[in-house]
Amino acid sequence: MEFVKSGGFSGFKRQPRPIPLSVFLEKEAFQVLGSGLSSEHRVMILEQAGTHPYVLKAFGSLLLAEGKQCKREETIQRAGAYLFPFFQRCIKEMKEPMEHDVLAHVINVRVPINPREVARFLKLPTIKPFANTLCILGLIRRWIQNEEATLCAGCRLFNEWYMESKTSVST
């Protein structure tokens, strides 16, 4: 992210555009997980990981390694512990305080929300630059639903970790 914000490659007329990490639809996410997992496990992964490619693959690999006898809550805890350094890295990439405010609001809403509603709640004219960063990091995803823009924070593992760490820092 820092590389992109600093101007990227020198010597190119056009700089490469950052591509959001959370571009998968649910159908695509199921395909990424492959056929080695039961449909129950794939649903659990999608529930917990959302559509973030790295989180999907990490969680899926953990489940494959544990096999069919894994216990749901223990596996979720192990996945969270494994992903903790990645989550921390994502937070380090959030340079603007308003990125945290936008993320926290989208997480707290818990359902897809129009960016204008988030901007209105935060008393901002737009959240586009903050939402762009969050989308590039894969922490929120955006799409068009019923002909209007929609944001969602779909990675439950990250969302719960983020809100807990945010609460523990402020107390």
Side-chain angles (χ1 to χ4, degrees), residues 7-147:
F9 298 105
S10 60
F12 287 100
K13 289 182 181 180
R14 280 184 65 182
Q15 294 297 315
R17 213 178 76 190
I19 298 171
L21 288 174
S22 62
V23 294
F24 291 144
L25 299 172
E26 283 189 24
K27 179 181 174 185
E28 296 164 327
F30 271 108
Q31 290 172 344
V32 166
L33 292 172
S35 60
L37 295 163
S38 70
S39 47
E40 179 185 319
H41 284 156
R42 293 191 315 175
V43 167
M44 178 176 70
I45 293 169
L46 202 57
E47 230 174 56
Q48 295 296 318
T51 58
H52 192 289
Y54 179 72
V55 179
L56 281 170
K57 290 303 272 184
F59 203 140
S61 296
L62 178 67
L63 269 174
L64 278 172
E66 290 188 355
K68 298 181 189 251
Q69 307 308 329
C70 68
K71 296 193 182 340
R72 180 182 172 89
E73 291 307 313
E74 290 173 13
T75 302
I76 292 169
Q77 285 180 328
R78 274 193 292 287
Y82 175 80
L83 290 162
F84 177 73
F86 172 72
F87 294 164
Q88 287 180 312
R89 178 72 181 152
C90 289
I91 297 306
K92 285 180 184 172
E93 292 298 327
M94 295 169 57
K95 307 292 188 215
E96 301 291 328
M98 197 52 70
E99 292 165 351
H100 290 273
D101 294 344
V102 169
L103 179 59
H105 185 66
V106 173
I107 289 171
N108 283 327
V109 170
R110 296 181 187 258
V111 294
I113 185 171
N114 185 292
R116 282 188 228 113
E117 291 178 43
V118 178
R120 204 170 309 128
F121 177 82
L122 296 172
K123 297 176 177 43
L124 295 171
T126 182
I127 62 160
K128 188 168 177 58
F130 313 118
N132 285 345
T133 298
L134 297 170
C135 285
I136 289 166
L137 291 171
L139 302 178
I140 63 172
R141 63 185 174 138
R142 75 176 140 208
W143 69 95
I144 303 298
Q145 181 178 340
N146 300 325
E147 298 185 26

